[in-house]
PDB file of all heavy atoms in Angstrom:
ATOM      1  N   LEU F  27     -15.620  12.993  12.012  1.00  0.00           N
ATOM      2  CA  LEU F  27     -16.094  14.355  12.097  1.00  0.00           C
ATOM      3  C   LEU F  27     -17.571  14.266  11.797  1.00  0.00           C
ATOM      4  O   LEU F  27     -18.383  15.078  12.494  1.00  0.00           O
ATOM      5  CB  LEU F  27     -15.332  15.175  11.048  1.00  0.00           C
ATOM      6  CG  LEU F  27     -13.925  15.612  11.377  1.00  0.00           C
ATOM      7  CD1 LEU F  27     -13.330  16.336  10.284  1.00  0.00           C
ATOM      8  CD2 LEU F  27     -13.957  16.451  12.717  1.00  0.00           C
ATOM      9  N   GLU F  28     -17.918  13.468  10.835  1.00  0.00           N
ATOM     10  CA  GLU F  28     -19.397  13.340  10.524  1.00  0.00           C
ATOM     11  C   GLU F  28     -20.204  12.865  11.702  1.00  0.00           C
ATOM     12  O   GLU F  28     -21.277  13.309  12.002  1.00  0.00           O
ATOM     13  CB  GLU F  28     -19.616  12.427   9.295  1.00  0.00           C
ATOM     14  CG  GLU F  28     -21.086  12.260   8.885  1.00  0.00           C
ATOM     15  CD  GLU F  28     -21.802  13.585   8.528  1.00  0.00           C
ATOM     16  OE1 GLU F  28     -21.047  14.569   8.126  1.00  0.00           O
ATOM     17  OE2 GLU F  28     -22.954  13.662   8.589  1.00  0.00           O
ATOM     18  N   ARG F  29     -19.621  11.816  12.345  1.00  0.00           N
ATOM     19  CA  ARG F  29     -20.298  11.274  13.589  1.00  0.00           C
ATOM     20  C   ARG F  29     -20.336  12.283  14.672  1.00  0.00           C
ATOM     21  O   ARG F  29     -21.391  12.341  15.334  1.00  0.00           O
ATOM     22  CB  ARG F  29     -19.486   9.984  14.053  1.00  0.00           C
ATOM     23  CG  ARG F  29     -20.207   9.131  15.079  1.00  0.00           C
ATOM     24  CD  ARG F  29     -19.439   7.905  15.253  1.00  0.00           C
ATOM     25  NE  ARG F  29     -19.183   7.084  14.142  1.00  0.00           N
ATOM     26  CZ  ARG F  29     -18.152   6.431  13.801  1.00  0.00           C
ATOM     27  NH1 ARG F  29     -17.128   6.438  14.684  1.00  0.00           N
ATOM     28  NH2 ARG F  29     -18.034   5.687  12.618  1.00  0.00           N
ATOM     29  N   GLN F  30     -19.304  13.055  14.806  1.00  0.00           N
ATOM     30  CA  GLN F  30     -19.270  14.092  15.798  1.00  0.00           C
ATOM     31  C   GLN F  30     -20.380  15.101  15.522  1.00  0.00           C
ATOM     32  O   GLN F  30     -21.124  15.556  16.480  1.00  0.00           O
ATOM     33  CB  GLN F  30     -17.913  14.783  15.917  1.00  0.00           C
ATOM     34  CG  GLN F  30     -17.900  15.949  16.912  1.00  0.00           C
ATOM     35  CD  GLN F  30     -16.366  16.482  16.929  1.00  0.00           C
ATOM     36  OE1 GLN F  30     -15.406  15.819  16.852  1.00  0.00           O
ATOM     37  NE2 GLN F  30     -16.324  17.833  16.973  1.00  0.00           N
ATOM     38  N   ARG F  31     -20.446  15.596  14.223  1.00  0.00           N
ATOM     39  CA  ARG F  31     -21.568  16.503  13.897  1.00  0.00           C
ATOM     40  C   ARG F  31     -22.926  15.970  14.262  1.00  0.00           C
ATOM     41  O   ARG F  31     -23.693  16.680  14.718  1.00  0.00           O
ATOM     42  CB  ARG F  31     -21.333  16.796  12.395  1.00  0.00           C
ATOM     43  CG  ARG F  31     -20.242  17.847  12.047  1.00  0.00           C
ATOM     44  CD  ARG F  31     -20.372  18.362  10.707  1.00  0.00           C
ATOM     45  NE  ARG F  31     -20.121  17.324   9.664  1.00  0.00           N
ATOM     46  CZ  ARG F  31     -18.970  17.075   9.206  1.00  0.00           C
ATOM     47  NH1 ARG F  31     -17.918  17.749   9.546  1.00  0.00           N
ATOM     48  NH2 ARG F  31     -18.747  16.147   8.239  1.00  0.00           N
ATOM     49  N   ILE F  32     -23.060  14.647  13.915  1.00  0.00           N
ATOM     50  CA  ILE F  32     -24.431  14.086  14.240  1.00  0.00           C
ATOM     51  C   ILE F  32     -24.728  14.120  15.663  1.00  0.00           C
ATOM     52  O   ILE F  32     -25.803  14.440  16.124  1.00  0.00           O
ATOM     53  CB  ILE F  32     -24.448  12.589  13.677  1.00  0.00           C
ATOM     54  CG1 ILE F  32     -24.427  12.591  12.147  1.00  0.00           C
ATOM     55  CG2 ILE F  32     -25.736  11.926  14.139  1.00  0.00           C
ATOM     56  CD1 ILE F  32     -24.316  11.227  11.523  1.00  0.00           C
ATOM     57  N   LEU F  33     -23.733  13.718  16.476  1.00  0.00           N
ATOM     58  CA  LEU F  33     -23.846  13.701  17.949  1.00  0.00           C
ATOM     59  C   LEU F  33     -24.220  15.105  18.493  1.00  0.00           C
ATOM     60  O   LEU F  33     -25.069  15.314  19.373  1.00  0.00           O
ATOM     61  CB  LEU F  33     -22.658  13.104  18.662  1.00  0.00           C
ATOM     62  CG  LEU F  33     -22.434  11.620  18.448  1.00  0.00           C
ATOM     63  CD1 LEU F  33     -21.145  11.081  19.067  1.00  0.00           C
ATOM     64  CD2 LEU F  33     -23.574  10.814  18.990  1.00  0.00           C
ATOM     65  N   GLU F  34     -23.444  16.050  17.977  1.00  0.00           N
ATOM     66  CA  GLU F  34     -23.644  17.444  18.413  1.00  0.00           C
ATOM     67  C   GLU F  34     -25.026  18.061  18.070  1.00  0.00           C
ATOM     68  O   GLU F  34     -25.697  18.670  18.758  1.00  0.00           O
ATOM     69  CB  GLU F  34     -22.522  18.344  17.846  1.00  0.00           C
ATOM     70  CG  GLU F  34     -21.186  18.136  18.470  1.00  0.00           C
ATOM     71  CD  GLU F  34     -20.193  19.107  17.962  1.00  0.00           C
ATOM     72  OE1 GLU F  34     -20.311  19.613  16.857  1.00  0.00           O
ATOM     73  OE2 GLU F  34     -19.081  19.269  18.692  1.00  0.00           O
ATOM     74  N   THR F  35     -25.430  17.562  16.817  1.00  0.00           N
ATOM     75  CA  THR F  35     -26.865  17.916  16.389  1.00  0.00           C
ATOM     76  C   THR F  35     -27.800  17.469  17.324  1.00  0.00           C
ATOM     77  O   THR F  35     -28.841  18.102  17.714  1.00  0.00           O
ATOM     78  CB  THR F  35     -27.050  17.542  14.934  1.00  0.00           C
ATOM     79  OG1 THR F  35     -26.078  18.114  14.115  1.00  0.00           O
ATOM     80  CG2 THR F  35     -28.545  17.936  14.445  1.00  0.00           C
ATOM     81  N   VAL F  36     -27.687  16.126  17.645  1.00  0.00           N
ATOM     82  CA  VAL F  36     -28.614  15.505  18.525  1.00  0.00           C
ATOM     83  C   VAL F  36     -28.646  16.182  19.854  1.00  0.00           C
ATOM     84  O   VAL F  36     -29.691  16.517  20.400  1.00  0.00           O
ATOM     85  CB  VAL F  36     -28.337  14.017  18.786  1.00  0.00           C
ATOM     86  CG1 VAL F  36     -29.115  13.413  19.875  1.00  0.00           C
ATOM     87  CG2 VAL F  36     -28.430  13.261  17.400  1.00  0.00           C
ATOM     88  N   ILE F  37     -27.425  16.443  20.451  1.00  0.00           N
ATOM     89  CA  ILE F  37     -27.299  17.082  21.796  1.00  0.00           C
ATOM     90  C   ILE F  37     -27.953  18.509  21.746  1.00  0.00           C
ATOM     91  O   ILE F  37     -28.800  18.911  22.616  1.00  0.00           O
ATOM     92  CB  ILE F  37     -25.936  17.123  22.247  1.00  0.00           C
ATOM     93  CG1 ILE F  37     -25.456  15.674  22.529  1.00  0.00           C
ATOM     94  CG2 ILE F  37     -25.753  18.070  23.430  1.00  0.00           C
ATOM     95  CD1 ILE F  37     -23.993  15.547  22.813  1.00  0.00           C
ATOM     96  N   ASN F  38     -27.575  19.265  20.670  1.00  0.00           N
ATOM     97  CA  ASN F  38     -27.935  20.653  20.603  1.00  0.00           C
ATOM     98  C   ASN F  38     -29.522  20.802  20.389  1.00  0.00           C
ATOM     99  O   ASN F  38     -29.971  21.953  20.531  1.00  0.00           O
ATOM    100  CB  ASN F  38     -27.250  21.429  19.582  1.00  0.00           C
ATOM    101  CG  ASN F  38     -25.714  21.641  19.970  1.00  0.00           C
ATOM    102  OD1 ASN F  38     -25.374  21.848  21.123  1.00  0.00           O
ATOM    103  ND2 ASN F  38     -24.833  21.529  19.079  1.00  0.00           N
ATOM    104  N   ASN F  39     -30.134  19.820  19.976  1.00  0.00           N
ATOM    105  CA  ASN F  39     -31.559  19.809  19.789  1.00  0.00           C
ATOM    106  C   ASN F  39     -32.325  19.086  20.908  1.00  0.00           C
ATOM    107  O   ASN F  39     -33.561  18.749  20.752  1.00  0.00           O
ATOM    108  CB  ASN F  39     -32.002  19.239  18.431  1.00  0.00           C
ATOM    109  CG  ASN F  39     -31.636  20.126  17.266  1.00  0.00           C
ATOM    110  OD1 ASN F  39     -32.369  21.130  17.068  1.00  0.00           O
ATOM    111  ND2 ASN F  39     -30.521  19.928  16.643  1.00  0.00           N
ATOM    112  N   SER F  40     -31.581  18.868  21.937  1.00  0.00           N
ATOM    113  CA  SER F  40     -32.213  18.206  23.102  1.00  0.00           C
ATOM    114  C   SER F  40     -32.113  19.087  24.269  1.00  0.00           C
ATOM    115  O   SER F  40     -31.362  20.123  24.249  1.00  0.00           O
ATOM    116  CB  SER F  40     -31.489  16.835  23.419  1.00  0.00           C
ATOM    117  OG  SER F  40     -30.266  17.163  24.069  1.00  0.00           O
ATOM    118  N   PRO F  41     -32.874  18.864  25.427  1.00  0.00           N
ATOM    119  CA  PRO F  41     -32.734  19.635  26.684  1.00  0.00           C
ATOM    120  C   PRO F  41     -31.500  19.369  27.474  1.00  0.00           C
ATOM    121  O   PRO F  41     -31.207  20.019  28.520  1.00  0.00           O
ATOM    122  CB  PRO F  41     -34.015  19.302  27.438  1.00  0.00           C
ATOM    123  CG  PRO F  41     -34.295  17.904  27.056  1.00  0.00           C
ATOM    124  CD  PRO F  41     -33.889  17.740  25.648  1.00  0.00           C
TER     125      PRO F  41
END
Side-chain angles (χ1 to χ4, degrees):
L27 288 173
E28 179 61 23
R29 194 172 303 142
Q30 180 178 318
R31 281 193 292 270
I32 292 171
L33 289 173
E34 287 182 339
T35 299
V36 171
I37 291 172
N38 289 326
N39 285 281
S40 76

